[in-house]
């Protein structure tokens, strides 16, 4: 997969679409929860309320992350997206705990639901709106790689599961006579949300800790650089991601007799080749005379050889 272009307008529009969808769903589910008394619907309503808060945070984060680098943030503001994703994780976790607690209490009390038809109709409408939003978010993520939009999309993917679970719970509870179905689905929803929170937290922490790119992607960098005829190899490759921005830095070996101007042209050729494969990437290359290694990590010398 190739790199992503930083397209702040796309991420902002996706965040605005998310806020609008959350407001619409909140109104629908608020009515359905009042009409049905369903624990599964209440869980879905709580999740949508948190979706709205998270979407507002995402909107702020993507707008802030899109700001250009300044004197105090020379690498830009991209990590605002990872911070927003962690905030969303806290909201999802709180929602999961609240739903789990309520569902267990409902299971113990044996309370039942009502007005299944209205609840099912609302859930179907919510599924339609959510499918439209997640399809749009998927296109935006494919073009930008935005972590904040990705975490936001996770909310709405879970919302699809929530709505399907609500329909199943209402059908089983009122039409099949299985009174424990609604709280059991509520428990399943809470566990699903907790799993989603764990996945989002892992990705956000990896970005905040400047985790390296996946090995196959790093090897593609090495392949491109080692294919440059005027370069003698590379070492000390470092990669990271910040919001929608990618960063690559490494050392290259050149012929010690090469002029500064010739070395500059060779580096520019390598940068152009990397930009073609990873659009929007920021590349920093340090030139060394052939054989010189400025790092103690000799294991990185393996990158001198073109990977298979």
């Amino acid at each position: 997969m190739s790199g992503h272009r930083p397209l702040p307008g796309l991420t902002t529009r996706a965040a605005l679409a998310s806020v609008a969808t959350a407001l619409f769903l909140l109104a629908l589910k608020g009515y359905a929860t009042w009409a049905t008394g369903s624990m599964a619907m209440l869980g879905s309503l709580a999740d949508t309320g948190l979706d709205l808060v998270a979407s507002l945070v995402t909107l702020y984060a993507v707008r802030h992350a899109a700001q250009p680098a300044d004197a105090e943030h020379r690498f830009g503001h991209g990590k605002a997206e990872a911070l927003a994703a962690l905030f969303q994780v806290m909201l999802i976790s709180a929602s999961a705990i609240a739903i789990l607690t309520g569902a267990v209490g409902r299971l113990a009390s044996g309370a039942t639901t009502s007005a299944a038809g209205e609840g099912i109709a609302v859930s179907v409408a919510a599924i339609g709106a959510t499918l439209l939003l997640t399809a749009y978010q998927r296109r935006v993520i494919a073009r930008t790689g935005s972590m904040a939009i990705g975490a936001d999309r996770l909310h709405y993917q879970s919302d699809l599961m929530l709505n399907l679970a609500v329909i199943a719970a209402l059908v089983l509870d009122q039409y099949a006579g299985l009174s424990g179905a609604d709280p059991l689905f509520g428990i399943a929803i809470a566990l699903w949300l907790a799993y989603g929170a764990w996945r989002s937290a892992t990705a956000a922490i990896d970005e905040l800790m400047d985790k390296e790119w996946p090995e196959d992607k790093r090897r593609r960098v090495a392949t491109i650089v080692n294919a440059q005829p005027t370069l003698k190899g590379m070492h000390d490759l470092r990669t990271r991601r910040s919001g929608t921005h990618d960063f690559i830095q490494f050392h290259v070996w050149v012929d010690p007799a090469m002029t500064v101007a010739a070395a500059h042209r060779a580096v520019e050729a390598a940068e152009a080749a990397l930009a073609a494969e990873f659009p929007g990437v920021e590349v920093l290359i340090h030139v060394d005379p052939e054989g010189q290694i400025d790092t103690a990590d000799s294991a990185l010398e393996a990158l001198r050889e073109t990977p298979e």
Side-chain angles (χ1 to χ4, degrees):
M1 119 181 230
S2 61
H4 302 286
R5 293 187 185 276
L7 298 170
L10 277 178
T11 55
T12 299
R13 288 197 293 273
L16 286 170
S18 177
V19 171
T21 302
L23 287 170
F24 172 70
L25 294 179
L26 197 64
L28 274 182
K29 294 180 181 180
Y31 166 74
T33 300
W34 170 80
T36 64
S38 166
M39 193 66 218
M41 181 64 79
L42 177 62
S44 185
L45 173 65
D47 181 64
T48 299
L50 293 176
D51 282 348
L52 176 58
V53 176
S55 295
L56 290 170
V57 172
T58 298
L59 177 60
Y60 171 79
V62 297
R63 290 175 67 87
H64 187 73
Q67 295 179 8
D70 55 35
E72 295 183 348
H73 304 90
R74 300 299 297 272
F75 290 97
H77 301 79
K79 288 190 177 180
E81 291 204 8
L83 292 173
L86 283 180
F87 179 75
Q88 292 173 25
V89 164
M90 290 189 289
L91 291 179
I92 296 172
S93 300
S95 176
I97 292 171
I99 294 170
L100 181 63
T101 302
V104 170
R106 187 69 172 266
L107 187 63
S109 68
T112 59
T113 62
S114 60
E118 294 180 32
I120 291 171
V122 165
S123 296
V124 170
I127 288 172
T130 305
L131 283 173
L132 289 174
L133 175 65
T134 54
Y136 177 57
Q137 288 176 321
R138 182 174 63 249
R139 291 196 297 271
V140 171
I141 294 167
R143 295 186 63 185
T144 67
S146 170
M147 174 171 286
I149 298 299
D152 202 45
R153 184 169 183 260
L154 175 63
H155 290 179
Y156 289 96
Q157 285 180 316
S158 68
D159 206 51
L160 289 172
M161 299 293 295
L162 288 170
N163 287 305
L164 290 171
V166 167
I167 292 172
L170 289 172
V171 169
L172 292 173
D173 190 76
Q174 292 192 40
Y175 299 131
L178 300 176
S179 59
D182 180 63
L184 286 175
F185 272 93
I187 292 171
I189 288 168
L191 295 176
W192 170 261
L193 289 175
Y195 172 67
W198 176 78
R199 287 198 306 165
S200 289
T202 299
I205 291 170
D206 283 347
E207 181 167 315
L208 289 171
M209 295 298 293
D210 289 329
K211 183 177 180 179
E212 288 284 342
W213 289 2
E215 187 61 27
D216 63 328
K217 198 172 176 182
R218 284 169 46 85
R219 288 189 176 278
R220 278 162 51 207
V221 173
T223 298
I224 291 168
V225 175
N226 282 303
Q228 303 303 307
T230 53
L231 301 180
K232 305 298 183 180
M234 67 180 297
H235 62 101
D236 202 12
L237 171 63
R238 300 180 186 182
T239 57
R240 67 186 184 92
R241 183 170 184 80
S242 179
T244 60
H245 301 275
D246 288 315
F247 297 87
I248 302 173
Q249 66 181 67
F250 54 89
H251 292 219
V252 293
W253 285 299
V254 299
D255 187 334
M258 182 179 284
T259 65
V260 172
H264 179 71
R265 288 193 296 271
V267 165
E268 284 192 323
E271 290 175 345
L274 288 169
E277 177 69 12
F278 306 102
V281 71
E282 182 173 315
V283 183
L284 177 63
I285 303 176
H286 179 83
V287 177
D288 289 325
E290 186 175 8
Q292 175 71 35
I293 299 178
D294 296 330
T295 178
D297 190 359
S298 59
L300 292 175
E301 287 187 64
L303 290 174
R304 183 177 184 180
E305 300 298 328
T306 303
E308 298 179 0

